[in-house]
Amino acid sequence: NGYGSHTFKMVNSDGERNYVKFHYKTDQKIECLDVEEAGRLSGANPDFGLQDLYEAIAKKDFPSWSMSIQVMSFEEAEKWKFNPFDLTKVWPHGEFPLIPVGKLT
């Protein structure tokens, strides 16, 4: 998964401006290695993740990510409890829910 830490300004065709944050969530399942297997692979095959990607693509199992955005209006930003550009803060999903916008393939 990927989460944009930066805040961007987007302007729609009507000239309305909003701040947005981008989110990318894998459509593949996430598998974790246990400590012993990770240690073994780091010495035996340090490119394991890259190999896994190449093998998946060879099988036509192409990776993809669902893309969503969070939107904050300029008015909300002026009144919000913290600076929306602060990289150390996360916009709460309760107040700024994820809006699905597409897929990266």
Side-chain angles (χ1 to χ4, degrees):
N1 295 331
Y3 309 97
S5 42
H6 295 288
T7 301
F8 297 89
K9 178 176 82 171
M10 294 183 77
V11 182
N12 68 18
S13 59
D14 294 327
E16 298 167 332
R17 304 169 304 159
N18 288 291
Y19 293 128
V20 299
K21 282 192 173 277
F22 293 90
H23 296 257
Y24 309 94
K25 295 206 175 183
T26 182
D27 295 325
Q28 297 67 237
K29 60 183 179 179
I30 296 176
E31 294 181 10
C32 297
L33 301 170
D34 62 41
V35 173
E36 292 79 23
E37 182 69 359
R40 185 187 72 72
L41 281 174
S42 69
N45 184 2
D47 293 324
F48 172 77
L50 189 59
Q51 177 185 343
D52 184 55
L53 175 63
Y54 273 86
E55 289 173 357
I57 291 170
K59 294 186 289 188
K60 307 274 189 241
D61 182 14
F62 301 107
S64 64
W65 294 262
S66 294
M67 180 181 152
S68 300
I69 60 172
Q70 286 179 286
V71 177
M72 180 185 291
S73 71
F74 275 39
E75 294 77 21
E76 289 171 315
E78 288 176 8
K79 298 174 185 158
W80 192 243
K81 56 190 162 193
F82 57 78
N83 185 330
F85 294 95
D86 186 341
L87 293 175
T88 67
K89 303 289 189 285
V90 175
W91 293 6
H93 290 195
E95 283 91 351
F96 306 102
L98 293 177
I99 301 168
V101 294
K103 191 172 291 276
L104 296 175
T105 58

